[in-house]
């Protein structure tokens, strides 16, 4: 499954700051808006109820206990103040409406004072409350304009005391358009403040992200350089916060790692020099031992059996020791970087045939070698690789052993295969390790355990490679890949 791309640290910081700012601004502005709206409407409502009550109290004493339409019209006119509409109702009779539809509400002008309120606008629930003797109010929208409807019964007061209900109901409509505009303006300002807060939060988040991400980026760059082998990479320490502590810890770790790696490299160099020196020092006594071994080989047949067997054993072990010393010297050259190529334009098929012919393997190995395949290679090193691969196949595999050459415009491949049981899967990753032997039973065989390691080093010296796998139908398959035009690597000569 392809991993989903994630937001970077900068994007997450900006998003978090912006979200926090939006939520905070929305909560604060929303709370202020709700409180201000309630306060504005409550103040308007209380003032309208108080003013209407005061105007109606000035009507006493009433001229008639059973007012008609004209007197009801006077009561409605007295109740309607600037910016208000009113209607008075008494037992189904109401103050007269002007002919035609109700006039549109206006904020100012002489027509508004004389206009009356249409009873159809008054909710039935409000009328029931007022008919029961209580004052009530309700906000409604009439002709796309918000109004505050106030309904109150007209009570008869004698000697400063309310004696009974007159049966007259007065309804007043207060235009809330100015208050609505004030509330809308308040909401607009809240949105503007929220937008300004968001912009400020983004700027603040950018500055904070820059301050946080700069040391993080430097730390990442230094870690990348450290991973690439630049052990002197360090991070500049600024301040004394948590990021500075991380930077100091990284620098201390990098310094300690550099010290350990330097010690390991010195120890490795010492070990390589020791192996190279010992190998070179052994060459002279080995040359003498080889000469003695040759004499012993010639005399072994004429010696008594115990002595002859000992002579042959000394000769064989001397040969094995000579091979080991030569392999160690070769490995030390690779390790010290002084191994070099002696490049020549060669016919690859003829090179393979010569390798088999010199070692007497021509009859034991079947070869599939296309003609006219040339390459610029070091024939001695390629011969060493092929001899090792074919020799291993003959000694540890089962016949038939085959070698096949394939080429394209850029590289060649030489595949050496046997038809034995193949290699265990646990062995495959370690085949090219130094001194590694697949079977414990072969720990004292004639091989040094360095042959395949040297073979791969020779392949890589050509800028090629050597791989191993098991064939599907049995047997181990070693494949040598070499460029058609090898180049001399950097380094000294042998």
């Amino acid at each position: 499954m392809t991993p989903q791309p994630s937001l970077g640290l900068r994007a997450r910081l900006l998003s978090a700051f912006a979200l926090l700012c939006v939520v905070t601004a929305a909560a604060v502005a929303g709370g202020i808006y709700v409180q201000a709206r309630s306060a504005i409407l409550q103040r308007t409502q209380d003032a309208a109820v108080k003013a209407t009550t005061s105007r109606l109290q000035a009507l006493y004493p009433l001229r008639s206990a059973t007012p008609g339409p004209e007197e009801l019209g006077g009561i409605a006119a007295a109740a309607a103040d600037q910016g208000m509409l009113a209607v008075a109702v008494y037992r189904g009779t109401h103050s007269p409406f002007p002919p035609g539809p109700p006039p549109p509400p206006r904020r100012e002008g002489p027509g508004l004072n004389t206009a009356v309120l249409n009873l159809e606008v008054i909710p039935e629930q409000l009328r029931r409350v007022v008919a029961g003797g209580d004052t009530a109010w309700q906000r409604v929208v009439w002709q796309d304009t918000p109004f505050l409807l106030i309904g109150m019964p007209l009570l008869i007061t004698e000697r400063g005391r309310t004696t009974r209900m007159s049966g007259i109901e007065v309804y007043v409509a207060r235009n809330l358009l100015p208050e609505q505009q004030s509330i809308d303006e308040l909401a607009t300002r809240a949105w503007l403040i929220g937008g300004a807060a968001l912009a400020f939060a983004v700027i603040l988040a950018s500055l904070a992200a820059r301050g946080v991400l700069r040391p993080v980026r430097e730390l990442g760059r230094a870690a990348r350089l450290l991973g690439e082998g630049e052990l002197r990479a360090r991070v500049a320490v600024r301040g004394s916060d948590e990021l500075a502590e991380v930077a100091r810890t990284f620098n201390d770790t990098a310094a300690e790692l550099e010290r350990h790696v330097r010690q390991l490299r010195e120890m490795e160099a010492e070990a390589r020099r020791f192996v190279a020196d010992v190998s070179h020092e052994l060459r002279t006594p080995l040359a003498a031992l080889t000469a003695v071994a040759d004499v012993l080989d010639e005399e072994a047949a004429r010696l008594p059996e115990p002595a002859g067997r000992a002579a042959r054993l000394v000769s064989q072990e001397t040969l094995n020791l000579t091979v080991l010393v030569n392999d160690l010297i070769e490995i030390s050259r690779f390790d010290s970087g002084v191994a070099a190529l002696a490049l020549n334009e060669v016919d690859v098929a003829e090179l393979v045939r010569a390798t088999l012919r010199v070692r007497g393997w021509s009859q034991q190995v079947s070869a599939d070698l296309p003609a006219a395949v040339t390459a610029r290679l070091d024939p001695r090193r390629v011969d060493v690789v092929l001899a090792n691969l074919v020799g291993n196949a003959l000694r540890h595999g089962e016949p038939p052993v085959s070698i096949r050459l394939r080429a394209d415009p850029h590289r060649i491949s030489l595949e050496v295969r046997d038809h034995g049981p193949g290699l265990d899967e646990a062995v495959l990753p370690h085949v090219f390790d130094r001194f590694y032997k697949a079977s414990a039973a072969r720990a004292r065989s004639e091989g040094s355990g360095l042959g395949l390691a040297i073979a791969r080093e020779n392949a890589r010296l050509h800028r090629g490679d050597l791989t191993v796998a098991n064939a599907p139908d049995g047997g181990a398959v070693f494949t040598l890949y070499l460029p058609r035009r090898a180049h001399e690597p950097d380094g000294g000569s042998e």
Side-chain angles (χ1 to χ4, degrees):
M1 179 181 292
T2 303
Q4 296 297 324
S6 59
L7 292 176
L9 184 56
R10 177 185 293 273
R12 292 200 296 271
L13 283 174
L14 290 176
S15 301
F17 268 87
L19 180 61
L20 177 62
C21 177
V22 168
V23 172
T24 303
V28 174
I32 294 175
Y33 170 78
V34 171
Q35 292 181 0
R37 180 176 181 273
S38 299
I40 291 172
L41 295 177
Q42 186 67 39
R43 185 171 60 249
T44 301
Q45 175 181 292
D46 293 345
V49 171
K50 183 177 180 181
T52 302
T53 303
S54 299
R55 285 192 298 273
L56 291 178
Q57 287 176 352
L59 296 176
Y60 295 104
L62 297 176
R63 292 181 296 176
S64 172
T66 58
E70 292 184 3
E71 191 171 1
L72 291 175
I75 294 173
D81 193 7
Q82 180 73 19
M84 291 186 178
L85 304 175
V87 63
V89 182
Y90 177 72
R91 296 181 179 178
T93 304
H94 55 79
S95 54
F97 298 142
R106 292 177 293 173
R107 292 185 59 182
E108 55 183 341
L112 191 58
N113 291 339
T114 59
V116 294
L117 182 62
N118 194 330
L119 286 177
E120 296 178 357
V121 181
I122 304 172
E124 187 65 28
Q125 183 180 2
L126 180 63
R127 294 198 62 181
R128 286 197 299 267
V129 174
V130 175
D134 295 325
T135 300
W137 51 85
Q138 185 175 345
R139 288 189 291 271
V140 298
V141 177
W142 179 33
Q143 296 182 352
D144 298 329
T145 303
F147 278 87
L148 173 64
L149 291 179
I150 303 172
M152 60 180 59
L154 196 59
L155 305 177
I156 297 177
T157 305
E158 296 177 351
R159 297 177 183 179
R161 296 176 59 191
T162 300
T163 57
R164 65 184 185 277
M165 296 178 58
S166 66
I168 301 173
E169 303 169 10
V170 179
Y171 298 94
V172 177
R174 168 72 162 80
N175 192 338
L176 296 179
L177 186 58
E179 287 74 12
Q180 183 63 46
Q181 290 176 342
S182 298
I183 293 172
D184 292 342
E185 184 179 355
L186 182 64
T188 301
R189 290 181 179 178
W191 279 108
L192 291 176
I193 292 173
L198 177 60
F200 176 74
V202 171
I203 295 174
L204 184 63
S206 299
L207 295 176
R210 182 179 301 176
V212 172
L213 293 179
R214 182 186 297 114
V216 172
R217 282 196 297 267
E218 292 180 0
L219 188 63
R221 178 188 58 80
R224 185 171 57 255
L225 291 175
L226 195 65
E228 293 173 354
E230 182 56 53
L231 299 180
R232 292 176 294 180
R234 297 294 186 271
V235 180
V237 179
R238 302 181 182 89
S240 58
D241 55 8
E242 290 80 359
L243 289 174
E245 184 63 27
V246 171
R248 276 190 289 272
T249 303
F250 176 85
N251 290 341
D252 294 342
T253 304
E256 190 67 14
L257 179 63
E258 182 181 14
R259 185 178 68 83
H260 282 293
V261 170
R262 184 170 58 251
Q263 290 179 348
L264 290 174
R265 287 175 176 173
E266 291 174 355
M267 293 171 60
E268 183 182 11
E270 288 292 336
R272 288 174 177 175
R273 281 195 297 270
F274 175 78
V275 171
D277 293 343
V278 169
S279 300
H280 281 286
E281 290 298 325
L282 286 176
R283 279 186 133 178
T284 301
L286 276 177
L289 286 176
T290 302
V292 173
D294 291 340
V295 173
L296 290 176
D297 273 339
E298 294 176 359
E299 299 295 330
R302 293 189 289 271
L303 293 174
E305 182 53 30
R309 186 166 56 253
R312 286 190 292 271
L313 179 61
V314 169
S315 177
Q316 181 61 44
E317 291 300 328
T318 301
L319 178 60
N320 292 342
L321 183 58
T322 302
V323 172
L324 174 60
V325 169
N326 290 334
D327 287 346
L328 287 173
I329 293 174
E330 187 71 7
I331 283 290
S332 68
R333 288 171 179 167
F334 287 116
D335 289 341
S336 60
V338 299
L341 295 175
L343 298 175
N344 286 294
E345 191 75 19
V346 297
D347 185 317
V348 181
E350 184 57 35
L351 174 62
V352 174
R353 292 191 187 95
T355 299
L356 300 178
R357 183 172 58 253
V358 168
R359 291 165 178 82
W361 295 336
S362 299
Q363 302 301 320
Q364 299 174 262
V365 179
S366 62
D368 179 7
L369 305 173
V373 176
T374 60
R376 190 167 182 267
L377 305 170
D378 184 333
R380 182 184 69 83
R381 294 188 180 276
V382 176
D383 174 78
V384 169
V385 176
L386 292 177
N388 185 277
L389 298 181
V390 176
N392 283 343
L394 291 172
R395 283 193 301 271
H396 308 299
E398 293 180 6
V401 174
S402 62
I403 183 168
R404 184 176 65 172
L405 170 64
R406 292 293 179 264
D408 61 34
H410 303 289
R411 71 174 184 176
I412 63 172
S413 66
L414 287 162
E415 179 185 286
V416 178
R417 178 186 176 184
D418 65 71
H419 287 75
L423 296 171
D424 190 275
E425 293 296 329
V427 171
L428 289 177
H430 307 286
V431 165
F432 300 105
D433 293 349
R434 296 178 183 182
F435 297 106
Y436 182 81
K437 296 183 180 181
S439 173
R442 296 199 295 118
R444 284 295 299 133
S445 68
E446 69 277 9
S448 65
L450 293 173
L452 288 176
I454 294 174
R456 173 171 271 190
E457 292 292 344
N458 277 314
R460 289 177 174 175
L461 193 64
H462 284 82
R463 308 290 174 89
D465 199 8
L466 178 61
T467 64
V468 61
N470 285 321
D473 55 345
V477 180
F478 287 82
T479 305
L480 173 65
Y481 297 98
L482 297 173
R484 295 289 290 267
R485 292 292 178 266
H487 299 282
E488 181 73 27
D490 297 334
S493 61
E494 297 183 43

